Amino acid sequence: MASLRASELSPEQAALLADPARVVEAGPGSGKTRALVARFVERATESRRGVALLSFTNAAVDEARSRCAQTPQLLLAPHFLGTIDAFLHRFIVTPAETQRLRHLPSYWASWDELPDSYATVRIRGLAGSGISLSSFQLDGAGNAAINLNRLKWDESRYLANVQAADREASLNNLAKARITGLINAGVYDAASARVKAFHFLSGVGGGEILDRLARRFGEVLVDEAQDCDEAEFAILRLLRAKDVNVVVVADPDQAIFEFRGGDPNLFLTFSNEHPVEAKVQLSTNYRSTSVICRAVTILRAAGTAAITPSQANRCCPVFVVSGTPEEQGAKFRQILKEVGVRPAEAIVLAHGRADAIAVVGGNPPSAESVAAGNRLAYACAQLRPGVGDAASRLAAVKSVEDVILSMLDWPKDLQLKGRDAKLAHLDRHSDWLRRSAGAVAANLQNIESREQFGIRAREIIRKVLTPLSVPMLNLSQFLKKPAEAIWDRCQSMVADPGGILSAETIHGVKGAEFKAVLIAIPDRLRKTDGKNVLDNLADGANTEARRVLYVGASRAKTVLVFGAGAHSARVEALLVNGDVVVERR
């Protein structure tokens, strides 16, 4: 078994299978997930104790499950495959909290998923949008403070009004009381659950929990470890102290989630706690061309090795395009035509969604629209033949399911519960919800106008919900026709699936890859300590803004374009100084 798995890997990747390997620094496109899964398969097959494979995304989990198809026993206890949050919930927080609460706790990815009355903090008598609860952070003393980097423009405006009224302390106290109340009721977002897990392990009785984990798991593998926050690294150290083999795989330059506590220095500090023989370097890139690899190399700041292509190949230069966002979009489409890449295989990326949308030409933020009619229309378009890939179709089905459940007038004690608890209250199973979503989507195909779509959507969802024990909301109020821009976008997707050029944030595509990528650099660049991202590149500074550019550029397989606008000359000079072959248009 071991030799077979090793034979599937390159010599560089196979180093991860060696027993001493504990810290793996892996560049983009290096096959790190594949190598980590190979180690999981090998160790899970040979070990008497369980092996846990943890990741921040489902990519590693999905690959592990597919590779274990011939050995399904590896997917069963004592082994565990899942996200790091799921691991902490299942084995640490849930057992302890169930004893206190006498019922299961509820977990949400973000406070933003809660009903608005919980998810938004507002001061009574002060008009405005309020501020999302997820924008507040509790410090070690339990006091709440706003993370300014997370605020949307309308929230920033509301905060200014709060400060003008000298009510910021009141706002923070409201957020503190809201978060504390939710946690006391057993309702957690991902961040608060991670902190609670550490408190359980480091407090009274923590030794017994750690002993139980050590008896079950002989090895814990963590993918994308650069996204671990301080609490998660502390938990990994506690496991390591119990003689559990902890293996982490990370690219410190892909640490772009500072708002959730991620910091490349946390990984680098953890790495420095290990001897040289425990460290593995994966720097060969199997995704991108040699020119793109060179561009990606000069963007990285925390990593120690150059990104090298798996093979020399003829390839186009890195393009730098100037002009207005609309002109950049036109030039990008021309480049795609010249190199034979369909728009559907390309993407426009930016730190901020609005900057990417401007290049595409008004593409609305359809997938993130909060209105139920908009979400439903977009999901149904994704489910049309030839439009969405497997991942987007699965996400579309989940979106339809969410819309169905959101149309029920849930009692207050269930509003903070997750999907499983709500389905149990309805005496329904997940397969009922999946079938209902399929029926809704099937009945909303080939609708000629958005007005008819709204009418038909209300009819079919009313039919689905009528037999249930929980009453419906007023569907005319909560399920309206999709907005015109959303509808037009959906119609374009269906009419010409291959001709649609998508726009997305760089954070939103982490872990993905595309044949062609345009990185939109706005004319007005945000500054930190008086320096913008181009200053960071020139100075060699390791900042999150620079790492975001690195992540965006490393998504490209064959074509990389920088939509630099007013900064075109400077971007070109920075690339040329780094020995990148550049063509400016």
Side-chain angles (χ1 to χ4, degrees):
M1 175 70 73
S3 61
L4 175 64
R5 297 302 180 185
S7 68
E8 298 176 358
L9 305 176
S10 70
E12 186 180 67
Q13 294 166 343
L16 202 157
L17 301 180
D19 186 68
R22 294 292 181 270
V23 178
V24 183
E25 185 179 311
S30 60
K32 61 182 178 61
T33 298
R34 186 167 179 263
L36 191 64
V37 168
R39 177 162 180 139
F40 168 79
V41 170
E42 179 177 286
R43 296 308 165 94
T45 301
E46 298 173 350
S47 175
R48 293 185 177 181
R49 288 191 290 172
V51 179
L53 173 57
L54 313 179
S55 180
F56 285 84
T57 68
N58 289 319
V61 177
D62 292 343
E63 184 172 344
R65 292 187 184 280
S66 65
R67 287 172 63 89
C68 294
Q70 301 303 315
T71 52
Q73 68 273 15
L74 300 184
L75 303 178
L76 304 175
H79 311 300
F80 178 84
L81 284 78
T83 65
I84 190 167
D85 285 332
F87 179 85
L88 300 179
H89 298 169
R90 178 172 175 177
F91 297 106
I92 302 173
V93 181
T94 295
E97 280 290 78
T98 300
Q99 292 184 18
R100 177 180 73 88
L101 298 165
R102 303 303 179 191
H103 61 77
L104 294 173
S106 298
Y107 299 107
W108 302 81
S110 166
W111 298 130
D112 293 337
E113 297 182 353
L114 296 176
D116 183 68
S117 57
Y118 293 95
T120 305
V121 183
R122 299 183 181 89
I123 292 180
R124 182 175 298 178
L126 230 146
S129 66
I131 295 177
S132 63
L133 189 61
S134 60
S135 295
F136 292 85
Q137 292 177 317
L138 295 184
D139 60 21
N143 297 313
I146 298 174
N147 182 344
L148 298 177
N149 293 328
R150 294 209 63 180
L151 295 184
K152 301 174 183 176
W153 70 270
D154 54 339
E155 292 178 323
S156 296
R157 188 169 60 179
Y158 182 80
L159 178 59
N161 293 338
V162 170
Q163 292 170 333
D166 196 24
R167 303 288 302 278
E168 187 169 3
S170 298
L171 186 72
N172 288 335
N173 287 335
L174 279 173
K176 174 184 176 180
R178 180 82 52 80
I179 294 173
T180 302
L182 288 167
I183 292 174
N184 287 340
V187 180
Y188 291 92
D189 73 338
S192 61
R194 289 191 291 267
V195 173
K196 178 64 74 171
F198 172 71
H199 287 165
F200 279 135
L201 293 181
S202 58
V204 177
E208 294 181 5
I209 301 174
L210 285 165
D211 287 339
R212 172 166 49 83
L213 289 171
R215 285 194 298 270
R216 172 161 179 171
F217 296 105
E219 185 156 293
V220 173
L221 310 169
V222 183
D223 196 12
E224 304 289 355
Q226 75 277 349
D227 294 327
C228 285
D229 63 10
E230 193 169 1
E232 288 160 330
F233 273 116
I235 291 170
L236 294 178
R237 290 187 177 93
L238 290 173
L239 290 171
R240 188 178 65 192
K242 288 291 183 177
D243 292 326
V244 176
N245 292 338
V246 174
V247 181
V248 298
V249 179
D251 181 351
D253 286 288
Q254 293 195 49
I256 60 172
F257 293 110
E258 283 186 357
F259 64 83
R260 73 173 298 282
D263 183 339
N265 292 318
L266 295 175
F267 165 74
L268 295 174
T269 299
F270 188 84
S271 175
N272 290 335
E273 297 167 3
H274 295 78
V276 173
E277 59 268 21
K279 299 179 183 181
V280 174
Q281 185 80 244
L282 302 183
S283 58
T284 302
N285 183 295
Y286 297 89
R287 172 188 299 155
S288 306
T289 66
S290 57
V291 173
I292 294 175
C293 285
R294 181 58 200 162
V296 170
T297 295
I298 69 168
L299 289 174
R300 75 183 328 205
T304 58
I307 306 301
T308 57
S310 59
Q311 57 184 357
N313 46 26
R314 295 185 60 186
C315 53
C316 58
V318 169
F319 297 92
V320 177
V321 297
S322 59
T324 65
E326 292 81 3
E327 291 170 339
Q328 294 171 32
K331 292 177 180 179
F332 187 37
R333 287 184 173 86
Q334 178 59 34
I335 292 170
L336 296 178
K337 184 177 180 180
E338 293 172 7
V339 299
V341 174
R342 296 184 305 137
E345 299 172 309
I347 196 166
V348 176
L349 301 176
H351 198 161
R353 178 178 292 275
D355 295 319
I357 290 171
V359 173
V360 168
N363 178 16
S366 47
E368 287 189 352
S369 176
V370 296
N374 291 343
R375 287 188 288 142
L376 195 56
Y378 185 79
C380 289
Q382 286 282 351
L383 291 170
R384 293 288 292 272
V387 176
D389 57 17
S392 62
R393 290 173 67 85
L394 185 61
V397 172
K398 183 180 182 301
S399 183
V400 178
E401 294 173 345
D402 290 341
V403 169
I404 291 173
L405 292 180
S406 71
M407 292 298 110
L408 290 170
D409 189 8
W410 296 100
K412 189 172 183 179
D413 64 323
L414 279 169
Q415 289 178 6
L416 299 179
K417 298 293 184 181
R419 175 182 290 198
D420 290 343
K422 290 178 176 176
L423 287 173
H425 182 81
L426 296 172
D427 195 23
R428 295 292 191 274
H429 298 286
S430 57
D431 57 346
W432 167 84
L433 185 58
R434 183 58 51 92
R435 290 196 306 270
S436 298
V440 169
N443 280 274
L444 291 175
Q445 303 298 325
N446 302 315
I447 305 294
E448 294 183 357
S449 69
R450 60 193 184 100
E451 289 79 12
Q452 291 178 353
F453 184 93
I455 293 170
R456 184 58 179 153
R458 289 189 289 271
E459 289 176 352
I460 186 62
I461 288 184
R462 182 176 291 109
K463 184 177 180 180
V464 169
L465 299 181
T466 296
L468 301 179
S469 57
V470 175
M472 282 176 279
L473 296 169
N474 184 336
L475 297 187
S476 297
Q477 179 181 354
F478 290 95
L479 184 55
K480 299 180 178 180
K481 64 185 179 183
E484 185 175 359
I486 300 291
W487 183 255
D488 291 344
R489 165 69 173 169
C490 293
Q491 295 302 103
S492 298
M493 290 167 57
V494 173
D496 184 15
I500 295 296
L501 183 59
S502 299
E504 184 56 271
T505 64
I506 292 172
H507 289 81
V509 298
K510 192 167 178 285
E513 60 183 28
F514 306 89
K515 281 191 176 181
V517 172
L518 182 143
I519 306 294
I521 301 176
D523 287 347
R524 294 186 61 183
L525 293 173
R526 179 181 297 182
K527 291 185 177 182
T528 302
D529 297 328
K531 299 291 184 71
N532 62 41
V533 64
L534 299 182
D535 298 327
N536 301 152
L537 282 171
D539 299 342
N542 181 9
T543 64
E544 185 177 58
R546 176 175 179 169
R547 297 193 297 273
V548 169
L549 276 187
Y550 167 88
V551 171
S554 62
R555 302 308 95 196
K557 297 171 68 176
T558 59
V559 180
L560 176 60
V561 181
F562 288 94
H567 306 289
S568 293
R570 190 177 188 192
V571 170
E572 180 184 20
L574 288 169
L575 292 170
V576 170
N577 289 341
D579 295 326
V580 179
V581 180
V582 178
E583 180 179 322
R584 183 174 168 188
R585 296 194 180 187

